[in-house]
Amino acid sequence: MSFDPNSDFFEIAFNVTEHTEAMLAYWDKNLICRYANKATADWFGITPEHMINKSHLSEILGTLFEIQRPYINGVLGGKIQVFDQVIHLYSGRAKNVRVTYHPNYVEGEIKGFYAHMADISPLNNKSHDNNKTGVEKLPEFVTQNDQLLENVAKTLNENVFIGFPSISALSKKHFVSESKLKRDFKQSFGRTIFSYYRYLQMEIADRYIREKRCNKNQMAVMLNFSNPSNFSACYHRYLEEKSSDSELIETQKEDNTHNKMLIEQAPIAIAMFDNQMQFIAASKRWIAEYKLESTGFIGKSIYEVLPATKKKCEKLHNHCLKGNIYQCDGLLLKKNDGTRVWLKWNIHPWFTTSGETGGLFIHTEDISKIKAIEKENKQAEKLLKRAATLSKIGTWTRDLLTHTMQWDNVIKSILEVPEYFVPDIKTIWKLFKQGKSERLSKKALKDALKYGSSFDIEVDMITAKGNSRKIRIIGYPEFQNNKCKKLSGILLDITPLSPFKTANFLTD
């Protein structure tokens, strides 16, 4: 296929690449960017103007570079690379991404490769089936951003006595944009990078002042403060914050003590756990139901005290530790003594004074007796249906508003029609034996519709296979606004057994 260089084909092709949400780029064999479309600004917060002929691939990928290195080496070795991974965009939002690298050959030599990144998050949300595409999947690393921030914090620790490294230096060292670094760090640590750095310095200063008897002027010099008064102001703010934190801790202790008292005195089976799922308190009812009287369970993990809960409940507990409430009307669990019980669960998170999830309140109720009754009722219902089938009693309805009829399978069996048969009034009249039976049935139907009279009649019918049956039909009309809206009732096969069949029945 050839193209006219004078046509607008190349302009259209360029516009297509510039208006796609997927990230498109070309990297030479030295991993220098030679082309990038507009989408790179949304993905990595870097415009093409700042990338093309300037940026190394490691600067764009940051911590992803080492993870992708095998695939980069692969494409530079001449093989197409396709893989999935989770990345954090410039906006901070995580995306499931499919990455495709195609080698670029020029006269048999690889000059670079084409890169294509597409968001496949909607596809992953629709289906969690096994990987059937042949695409190699990288290990899940949604927490890679957390690792990046931990590395930044480590760098700050290393520079406590040296001086604050600039934001620019930190972003270059850890291969992340400055704006993303500042935003994500504050979101993760609850303070700015510089504020975090100052707090580290003040923690060390506090220890030196209390334990080494250093004075503030000495600490100001040691920590590279040009102005001792500036150090004093920072240290004063640190002490105030520390005092405030201590007050919050004391308040939390008081709240926990209050909660423990309430739980221990509660007349229901309820327990309180910390965010490691270790027992803080439990009611007497809980202790009795789970037979924990002599186990010394306080401070131990629920998975250690009640091992059966780990397999069935650990994921659920983790879900609730994120601030979610859970209610379950029936979970079968094995107790330590080997007995199996049905439990109704109510799980609510409790929160610290700082708003974080401190742990869980778990209330359980033994509903084994209720489940046993439900099981008995289901078995009884099955027996009744079985009895109805054996006694050849079926149910029917006729809706006068929708002009539809329904037969159960027993009636269909009696009249020898297939299970998929849908009854209608014209077909039904053909099953009645002409003469007395047909007239009796039509009169009963007429009186029911006109006067609301129930009926109980015995008629002769001919099945779909041509066999005669003696049938008893009982019907009840339902009226609304002086008009019959529904007929319902039962149909019984009362055909006498032949002497031969009776004899067989008695000898079975």
Side-chain angles (χ1 to χ4, degrees), residues 279-294:
F279 279 92
I280 294 176
S283 66
K284 292 180 180 178
R285 181 77 171 271
W286 177 290
I287 295 171
E289 286 196 5
Y290 293 95
K291 297 178 171 55
L292 304 180
E293 290 86 349
S294 57

Side-chain angles (χ1 to χ4, degrees), residues 374-430:
E374 288 179 356
K375 186 176 180 181
E376 290 175 2
N377 289 341
K378 287 181 180 178
Q379 291 175 338
E381 186 179 349
K382 288 181 180 179
L383 290 173
L384 287 173
K385 287 182 178 180
R386 180 64 176 161
T389 302
L390 293 173
S391 59
K392 296 184 177 180
I393 302 174
T395 60
W396 58 271
T397 59
R398 180 181 176 187
D399 193 320
L400 279 302
L401 298 179
T402 61
H403 304 289
T404 57
M405 300 187 67
Q406 289 186 345
W407 288 354
D408 67 5
N409 288 335
V410 177
I411 294 181
K412 292 177 181 179
S413 175
I414 293 171
L415 298 178
E416 297 183 319
V417 296
E419 288 188 4
Y420 59 79
F421 174 75
V422 180
D424 64 86
I425 194 67
K426 290 183 179 180
T427 306
I428 291 172
W429 287 124
K430 294 178 181 179

Side-chain angles (χ1 to χ4, degrees), residues 338-386:
T339 58
R340 295 182 179 273
V341 293
W342 281 97
L343 297 175
K344 182 177 181 180
W345 291 71
N346 286 287
I347 305 177
H348 288 257
W350 59 268
F351 300 92
T352 66
T353 50
S354 60
E356 298 177 351
T357 304
L360 301 178
F361 291 115
I362 300 180
H363 164 233
T364 63
E365 180 182 351
D366 190 339
I367 56 172
S368 300
K369 292 182 180 179
I370 297 174
K371 286 290 183 179
I373 293 172
E374 288 179 356
K375 186 176 180 181
E376 290 175 2
N377 289 341
K378 287 181 180 178
Q379 291 175 338
E381 186 179 349
K382 288 181 180 179
L383 290 173
L384 287 173
K385 287 182 178 180
R386 180 64 176 161

Side-chain angles (χ1 to χ4, degrees), residues 180-455:
K180 176 175 172 56
L181 174 60
K182 290 189 288 186
R183 180 182 60 252
D184 289 0
F185 193 94
K186 186 172 183 180
Q187 184 177 356
S188 180
F189 289 91
R191 60 178 75 232
T192 65
I193 298 174
F194 185 74
S195 174
Y196 180 87
Y197 175 78
R198 275 287 187 250
Y199 194 86
L200 292 176
Q201 287 186 314
M202 293 306 106
E203 281 186 320
I204 292 175
D206 189 47
R207 287 181 57 190
Y208 271 85
I209 291 172
R210 287 186 295 103
E211 299 174 11
K212 305 291 185 180
R213 303 298 180 183
C214 293
N215 60 44
K216 293 179 182 179
N217 287 337
Q218 290 173 321
M219 290 311 306
V221 173
M222 188 182 298
L223 295 173
N224 286 301
F225 276 80
S226 58
N227 188 341
S229 62
N230 186 22
F231 170 82
S232 296
C234 290
Y235 184 60
H236 180 69
R237 284 195 298 271
Y238 166 80
L239 293 177
E240 287 183 340
E241 184 176 345
K242 186 178 178 181
S243 175
S244 177
D245 289 342
S246 299
E247 290 177 5
L248 287 175
I249 292 171
E250 289 302 317
T251 302
Q252 189 65 60
K253 287 181 179 179
E254 292 177 6
D255 289 345
N256 287 351
T257 301
H258 181 65
N259 288 330
K260 284 177 62 177
M261 291 176 60
L262 290 176
I263 286 173
E264 289 169 355
Q265 298 171 11
I268 58 177
I270 186 171
M272 181 180 181
F273 301 86
D274 62 19
N275 55 18
Q276 300 299 315
M277 291 311 297
Q278 295 173 337
F279 279 92
I280 294 176
S283 66
K284 292 180 180 178
R285 181 77 171 271
W286 177 290
I287 295 171
E289 286 196 5
Y290 293 95
K291 297 178 171 55
L292 304 180
E293 290 86 349
S294 57
T295 58
F297 62 93
I298 299 297
K300 293 182 179 179
S301 168
I302 187 175
Y303 310 125
E304 177 185 351
V305 178
L306 301 171
T309 61
K310 184 173 181 63
K311 183 178 180 180
K312 289 195 173 184
C313 305
E314 186 174 18
K315 288 184 178 179
L316 174 60
H317 294 159
N318 290 336
H319 174 69
C320 293
L321 284 170
K322 295 177 181 178
N324 301 299
I325 296 173
Y326 177 79
Q327 293 180 321
C328 172
D329 290 331
L331 176 67
L332 186 61
L333 196 67
K334 185 178 180 181
K335 287 188 174 181
N336 288 346
D337 60 2
T339 58
R340 295 182 179 273
V341 293
W342 281 97
L343 297 175
K344 182 177 181 180
W345 291 71
N346 286 287
I347 305 177
H348 288 257
W350 59 268
F351 300 92
T352 66
T353 50
S354 60
E356 298 177 351
T357 304
L360 301 178
F361 291 115
I362 300 180
H363 164 233
T364 63
E365 180 182 351
D366 190 339
I367 56 172
S368 300
K369 292 182 180 179
I370 297 174
K371 286 290 183 179
I373 293 172
E374 288 179 356
K375 186 176 180 181
E376 290 175 2
N377 289 341
K378 287 181 180 178
Q379 291 175 338
E381 186 179 349
K382 288 181 180 179
L383 290 173
L384 287 173
K385 287 182 178 180
R386 180 64 176 161
T389 302
L390 293 173
S391 59
K392 296 184 177 180
I393 302 174
T395 60
W396 58 271
T397 59
R398 180 181 176 187
D399 193 320
L400 279 302
L401 298 179
T402 61
H403 304 289
T404 57
M405 300 187 67
Q406 289 186 345
W407 288 354
D408 67 5
N409 288 335
V410 177
I411 294 181
K412 292 177 181 179
S413 175
I414 293 171
L415 298 178
E416 297 183 319
V417 296
E419 288 188 4
Y420 59 79
F421 174 75
V422 180
D424 64 86
I425 194 67
K426 290 183 179 180
T427 306
I428 291 172
W429 287 124
K430 294 178 181 179
L431 297 174
F432 284 91
K433 191 173 183 178
Q434 293 182 354
K436 181 181 177 181
S437 292
E438 185 179 11
R439 289 194 299 271
L440 179 60
S441 300
K442 288 185 176 181
K443 184 180 185 307
L445 178 61
K446 182 179 178 180
D447 290 344
L449 296 176
K450 188 174 182 180
Y451 305 111
S453 304
S454 59
F455 55 87

